[in-house]
Amino acid sequence: MKQQYDFDFAEAIVPFGGSAQPVTNPDKAILGGKGLGLQEMARIGVDVPPGFTIITKLCDVYQDGDDLPDEIWDLVKAAIARVETDTGKKFGDQENPLLFSCRSGAAISMPGMMDTVLNIVSAL
């Protein structure tokens, strides 16, 4: 039986910068502190490099199952593709690599969060 969550997976990856439209009312509890800051900077016109935020509720999903559902990985891959298009670079490319900075930035301190973030990146 498929797990039920209290949020829409389609909203679990929030893009910023590049071709992304800034979130109108960003929420620190959802985006974390750094995600909120990136959205606010983009909203006021700061040229924010393209990227994406994985919402904080996915930390709970990960903690409950020690992984993320396949639907999330598909969304992460789509978010990476958007950044590739915006930058003209390719993730994993030897000649023109796209690099990501992975930062934890939850609304509250989350011990072990860096392990989760590194697991997300290494799983791709």
Side-chain angles (χ1 to χ4, degrees), residues 34-111:
K34 291 176 185 73
L36 172 68
L38 289 161
Q39 287 294 332
E40 288 181 336
M41 287 188 291
R43 189 175 47 80
I44 64 170
V46 174
D47 188 17
V48 177
F52 56 93
T53 300
I54 298 172
I55 67 169
T56 58
K57 289 183 179 189
L58 286 178
C59 295
D60 294 333
V61 172
Y62 180 85
Q63 294 286 70
D64 289 345
D66 202 31
D67 199 357
L68 294 174
D70 291 339
E71 299 96 321
I72 295 300
W73 294 116
D74 293 340
L75 294 171
V76 169
K77 289 175 185 175
I80 290 171
R82 184 193 65 80
V83 176
E84 288 175 334
T85 299
D86 285 350
T87 62
K89 297 179 178 289
K90 181 87 173 138
F91 189 59
D93 187 71
Q94 295 293 316
E95 301 298 319
N96 192 21
L98 171 62
L99 303 175
F100 284 94
S101 174
C102 299
R103 307 285 307 272
S104 70
I108 58 172
S109 180
M110 298 180 69

